[in-house]
Every structure is written in C-alpha cells, then in structure tokens.
Amino acid sequence: MLDPRLLRAFVVIVDSGGFTAAAERLHTTQSTISQQLSRLEEAVGHVLVQRGSRPPRPTEAGERLLCYARRILALHEEAELRLADPMGAIPVRIGLPDDIAVATMSEVFAFFAQQHPEIRLDVTAGLSRDLTRRYRAGEFDVVVVKEQAPAADCIASFPEVIGWFESARITKEWGDPLPLVTFPVGGLYREEMFARLESEQRQWYVSFTGNSLDSVLVAVEVGLGLSLIPVIAASAYDVRPCHAFAVDGPMATSLYAWEAAGAIGVLVELMVRALSERSRGVDAKR
C-alpha cells in the first residue's frame, strides 16, 4: 500500500518546484520532506525525482507514478469528505400500506428531508399484517398499518372507512357465485371479504388477485368482480359503491413509532397530521 502522506510529499515537491517550497506548503521541515520522498522511492523501487536539476524534475518512473498519485490523493480526499458529511448518515425505516404511501405522504417526507438532511428515509410499502410483524421485530422505526382496532402503544389512530365497490362502466347483476377481486393471501381486506360472504352463506370465487391497491382497483374498473376497498382510495377510479352490500364497519389506520422525540418525533407529528387530514377528507366525501 502506498502511504498517502508520502504520495502527497512527492506531488507537492513536483508542483512547488523544490523541497524547501514543498516543506513550507506542508508545514514541515525540508529534511522531513526528503525522508518522505526517499521512503516512497524505496517502496516503489524507483528514483522518482532528479535531485540535481533545478527545479527538481520527475524521472520517467516519477512521471508514471505522478498521475496515479494525484488520483489516489483525490479519492482519499473525497472519501474523507464523504465520511465527514452528515447528510444521510442516520437511517429512519418506515413501513406503509401502498394507499398511504401516496403524494400527500411523499410531500411530508420531502419536507422533512429538506429540514433534516442528516436523516435518510427508507420507506417500504406492503401489507399491513406483514408491516406489523416486521415493526414488532424491530425492522421499522415508524409504521402505519390498517387493523381491526389499534393496540395500546399506538401513537395515533383514525377510522378507515371501507366499502364494497364495482365497476362504474359495466352494469351487472351479481348472483352466486360472486367474482372477487382481492389482495394477496394475508391481506386484511381479503379476509374481511371472505368472512362477510361466508357469514351470509354466499358463494364466491377469486377472479383476480392484485399485489397493489392500484392493480385491484383497475381490475374492478374493468368489471372483473367486486372488492372491499378503502373509500378514499376508490374515489380516484371509475368505480362505484355496490349497493347490494351495506357499508362495512370501519377499520383503523394506526401509526406506531419506537421513538417520538427529536427529529423522529417531528416526522411522526407530520405523518399524524397528514393522516388526520386524510381522515377528514373521507368524512367530507361520505
């Protein structure tokens, strides 16, 4: 390994035109500069500077090493600057359902990131039950989930109004069996749909399974079947309430955080405010 201090002495000797000037630039003595150059020459096995010339000129081997020395020193300085720069040094891991990770919440994250450049936000969208499991396992610092009822340690919780929706483009009489558009296995809405229909002794089958809220709603739009969906999410799609089914009771949208102080506390407060505004928006549409 080539010692950057020795490389720097070599480069400064060449650039400043002599050992004395190099010593002044590096705030050391001429003898120290000479010793550093000698150690570098010993390490590479070549004489690097013509000491008899005025000013000292690099030898052929010195010229070859000079360009590498400059690149090594530049990378060394860049690495030091990057490590000294606090931007993005503190990760905060956030889990959200995909219908919460929308423009409004993204604007919250963007505003927070501008105010706290030292923090790097790592956001994951997924199914609420999986997000809850991972939060309890310590994989997330902050999580928003849909659930039947909030746990005692939630920071804030808001009612999540859900309803049955069908395509607004196609008129159908829904007999038995009912075609259902669902989320993947383990999805909360999926299980609620099945439980509701089984309690009413209705026949059903899964006609389409989507891995995101958008894919589910698009499938409902084109008439692939019925689905149980958050009311606020349905408003952006060409779907309508299915009046054959009464509105289901609300679930809860809950926010949890292991820490609610400092910068994370500020982020939690902003997220709670966005969720509160979202909840009021649902009430206004009803």
Side-chain angles (χ1 to χ4, degrees), residues 47-71:
V47 175
L48 300 174
V49 172
Q50 300 173 11
R51 288 167 173 78
S53 63
R54 292 291 182 271
R57 300 180 184 278
T59 63
E60 183 178 343
E63 289 178 339
R64 292 201 302 271
L65 178 62
L66 191 59
C67 63
Y68 291 107
R70 295 190 196 281
R71 289 162 58 187

Side-chain angles (χ1 to χ4, degrees), residues 166-172 174 181 208 215-225 237-239:
E166 63 185 353
S167 173
R169 305 174 185 174
I170 302 169
T171 300
K172 286 186 177 182
W174 301 107
V181 176
F208 181 89
S215 62
V216 167
L217 279 161
V218 169
V220 173
E221 273 189 336
V222 298
L224 284 175
Y237 292 81
D238 196 12
V239 298

Side-chain angles (χ1 to χ4, degrees), residues 117-197:
E118 76 280 6
I119 292 179
R120 181 181 75 253
L121 299 180
D122 184 356
V123 181
T124 299
L127 296 176
S128 289
R129 282 182 173 160
D130 183 55
L131 295 175
T132 298
R133 176 187 60 78
R134 294 176 63 183
Y135 172 75
R136 297 300 180 189
E139 294 184 34
F140 294 118
D141 302 296
V142 182
V143 72
V144 176
V145 297
K146 309 290 184 67
E147 53 190 355
Q148 292 290 355
D153 61 336
C154 81
I155 302 295
S157 186
F158 303 92
E160 181 68 59
V161 182
I162 57 176
W164 291 80
F165 286 86
E166 63 185 353
S167 173
R169 305 174 185 174
I170 302 169
T171 300
K172 286 186 177 182
E173 293 294 330
W174 301 107
D176 286 336
L178 287 169
L180 301 182
V181 176
T182 73
F183 291 89
V185 174
L188 189 61
Y189 299 141
R190 176 188 176 106
E191 294 181 4
E192 283 294 308
M193 292 169 66
F194 295 171
R196 166 74 182 276
L197 294 176

